[in-house]
Every structure is written in C-alpha cells, then in structure tokens.
Amino acid sequence: MPTILQFLHSYEDTSVTRIAGQIIQHLAPQGYTFHTGVAVDDPKQKAFIQSLGATTMEFFKTPPIPAAIRDFIRQNGVQIVHSHTPRTAVLTNLALRGVANVAHVTTRHLLTQLNSRKMGLVYTAVDRVSLYMPNLIIPVSKTMGEQIRSFPMIDPQKVFPIQNGVDTRRFYVPEERPGCRAELGLRDNEIVFLFTGRLEWMKRIDLLLTAFHTIRTHHPHTRLLIAGVGTLETELKQQAESLGLLKDNAVLFLGFRRDVQRLLAACDVYVQSSSNEGLSLSILEAMAAEKAIVATNVGAALEVLEDGVTAHVIPPLEVEPLTNSMLAVVEQPEQAKALASRARAVVNAQFSVEKMAENYARAYQKFLSR
C-alpha cells in the first residue's frame, strides 16, 4: 500500500491545502495511505484534512523539525514525502539525509518574485535554491514548468507539470444564491464583485479597492465582497474607509470563509488583481461557478482564460484597465453572461479535479514502481 506524507506549511485555508486535500480525497480510495504534517501552528483546516481520512502531525511541536520528520518517516513506512512550499522542501531535504528509499516530490504552486512580498530577495533566493532539492518538481502550470526548466542546471526530466483542477460540481450551486445574498444583505438589483484569497501584497487588493471606488461612483448599485485574511487586513480596511467604501457596506470584509461556493453563487463578477500567481484555483472555481471574470495576466492566466472569449484579461499593476473591465461587465451584462458560459465549458472540459488527481498518481508511480 503506497504511503505518502503531504508536508504543508500550515493547515490554513489556502490553495495549497485545497490541492493537498483533493489529492488525498481522490487517491485514498485507490489504496493510498496519506499522512499530513505542518511546520507551523494553524488549526483552521486541520479538521478538514482529518475528515478525508489522513492523519495529522505537527512537526513544530517536536523540534528540530527535520529530526521529527525523519522519525515519522521511519515509524510509518513513508515512501514519498510530498512538500508544497519552498520552506517545507528545504526541511524535507534536511530530513531525508541518510534516509534510503524515500523519494521527495514537491509541488511548486508559485514562483516567488522580488516584488511579491517584503524581504522579497530572501524569499526568492530560498525559492530558487529549494528547486534543486527534490527528486521531482511538479509546477501547477505548463507556463511555470517552462520557467523552471530554463533555470541553470535544472534537469528538465525532473520537471513534471500538473495543472490545477477543481471539483466543478461543488462550485456550481446557483440554488444557494438567494439565501447567501439575503444573509449578506445584498439586494436583488445589485451587481456584486467578489475576491477570495489571502490579503497579502501580491494580491494587490489596494488596486481593486481603488478601481471599485470609481465603479461605485458611476454605479451605486454595486457591491464588493472580500473574503480572506492576511497581514494587510487592517491596512486594506483603512484604505476602504478613507475611500468611503465602508459606508452603506459598499465593501464587505468577510474574513475567513469555508463556503466559497456559496459566495460565488451570490456574486456576479469574480475579480483577481494579483501581480503574481501560479495557476489560480480561485479563477478555476469562478469559472466552474459560471461567473464573469476580470483577471490580471500573470502566471498561467492565459492557460485557462482567453481575453474577450472567457474573461477580461488585463495587464497587472494598472488601475485603469482594471477599472474599465469592471465597468464593462456592469454595463454589458449580456456579453458578461456569454463570457461566463464559455468559461464554465472550458473548466469542465480541461480542469477537473479527477484529471489532476490521476496525474498526481502517475507522478507518485514514477517512484513507487522502482
């Protein structure tokens, strides 16, 4: 029976946790045994992981972490350690020194950029060095795969891209729209924009708030929902207040939510204003929910979206294109509806969670068959 350790930074509700959970959910019935471990304390999604049948281990409680991982591997017969971040890749590399017949697979969800966060130089250096440690690198997009293959001394045979996928049926719940809108105090005639994700610098929610201020000036029947938590939460609320967007609840900060599918049902437009992404799960979820999408052309956006066909794809870090595209979906509802319909067809055909899980099984078998 194959035994895999999914090593996460934390259990917080991010795309990393969702991807790991989907792998567990779809491969455990095929005979895989999964353990999960984290390097820092964050219990929000621990129950979710446990509900899928995986054991959970907090390596930070028994430092040093590499020694704790090494002991866990030996005690539980782990054959593959699957890391999901640069930090967990480095810790796995240290843990596996002197350990035979255990493979290290890493999924690279994002390539850090110098301007993505504070101390960007340090994080980017760790990010790049960690790519040389695993036996197999799994970028979440073909675009990222080509980027990684271009780095000096990277063995292209070790790069195995697997595009993210989503449970398209889970995120298409139009029947939830009336109830969720009523709970949030949204009127039937209001056009609702939605962002979900971490409130961090690379998401550029500051630009989204600036753009929405203009939208609200022209169209008072619009609202913006922001679902997520992060280090910029207080700063962004202060910006919204200074723009007058907290008056009449024009912008609602919803905090941590487990019901993203209901929020998608309640909204009309999904907006991603990021300056850096991998292959955005949030975009795939919005496509599955059949929503109009405005998204920046970063990461693998053009692997899933086509400007003017399935979404409005705009340059990053520019307020004017963001504002104009948001205005377009408000003022051209029939076109927005057509974009959303085509986007749903694409995600159903090409980005299912079943296809993603099957590809991860193929990646694991590269080592399990030896």
Side-chain angles (χ1 to χ4, degrees), residues 8 12 66-67 70 81 161 188 191-192 231 310 334 339 343 349:
L8 313 173
E12 64 185 2
R70 190 179 303 118
V81 180
D188 291 342
I191 305 299
V192 179
T231 59
T310 56
E334 291 303 315
L339 294 177

Side-chain angles (χ1 to χ4, degrees), residues 79-336:
Q79 296 159 283
I80 295 175
V81 180
H82 186 168
S83 64
H84 285 267
T85 64
R87 178 180 180 179
T88 57
V90 172
L91 291 170
T92 298
N93 185 64
L94 295 173
L96 292 181
R97 291 182 178 178
V99 179
N101 301 319
V102 178
H104 178 194
V105 172
T106 191
T107 293
R108 188 45 52 97
H109 299 267
L110 183 73
L111 284 178
T112 303
Q113 297 176 352
L114 292 174
N115 61 353
S116 293
R117 57 195 301 174
K118 294 179 180 179
M119 297 179 63
L121 180 60
V122 174
Y123 281 101
T124 301
V126 174
D127 180 285
R128 299 301 186 266
V129 169
S130 69
L131 288 170
Y132 295 84
M133 297 176 177
N135 301 106
L136 188 70
I137 307 164
I138 301 178
V140 296
S141 71
K142 297 175 182 176
T143 302
M144 193 188 302
E146 290 306 309
Q147 288 178 284
I148 293 174
R149 288 190 182 104
S150 70
F151 293 159
M153 299 179 66
I154 286 283
D155 181 356
Q157 299 302 314
K158 290 173 57 175
V159 183
F160 186 76
I162 297 178
Q163 292 174 309
N164 282 341
V166 294
D167 185 343
T168 56
R169 290 160 296 190
R170 178 178 174 233
F171 289 95
Y172 185 69
V173 286
E175 67 275 10
E176 296 282 356
R177 181 178 175 89
C180 190
R181 285 178 76 100
E183 290 172 21
L184 297 172
L186 305 174
R187 301 180 184 89
D188 291 342
N189 70 324
E190 290 180 320
I191 305 299
V192 179
F193 294 89
L194 172 67
F195 165 84
T196 64
R198 297 284 294 167
L199 307 187
E200 302 294 346
W201 177 251
M202 70 183 70
K203 299 299 184 179
R204 296 316 306 262
I205 306 164
D206 59 319
L207 301 182
L208 173 56
L209 289 171
T210 300
F212 181 69
H213 177 255
T214 302
I215 304 300
R216 178 81 176 181
T217 301
H218 290 85
H219 298 283
H221 64 293
T222 54
R223 305 277 286 276
L224 171 62
L225 310 179
I226 297 177
V229 294
T231 59
L232 296 182
E233 183 172 353
T234 300
E235 182 178 322
L236 291 169
K237 287 181 178 178
Q238 290 172 346
Q239 180 189 357
E241 184 174 16
S242 69
L243 292 171
L245 294 175
L246 297 187
K247 182 181 178 181
D248 300 325
N249 292 323
V251 173
L252 293 177
F253 286 87
L254 303 178
F256 175 78
R257 302 283 298 218
R258 288 190 172 91
D259 60 344
V260 171
Q261 68 275 21
R262 296 182 71 245
L263 298 180
L264 283 166
C267 83
D268 301 286
V269 187
Y270 186 82
V271 185
Q272 182 193 81
S273 49
S274 302
S275 62
N276 190 20
E277 290 284 345
L279 196 159
S280 171
L281 271 187
S282 297
I283 290 295
L284 295 178
E285 292 164 359
M287 294 170 72
E290 200 168 328
K291 297 300 169 178
I293 296 169
V294 176
T296 49
N297 183 12
V298 295
L302 295 183
E303 284 186 35
V304 298
L305 300 173
E306 185 176 351
D307 182 39
V309 178
T310 56
H312 291 275
V313 183
I314 59 174
L317 302 173
E318 296 184 28
V319 172
E320 186 175 353
L322 177 60
T323 305
N324 290 341
S325 292
M326 292 172 69
L327 279 172
V329 294
V330 174
E331 297 173 353
Q332 302 169 26
E334 291 303 315
Q335 181 197 51

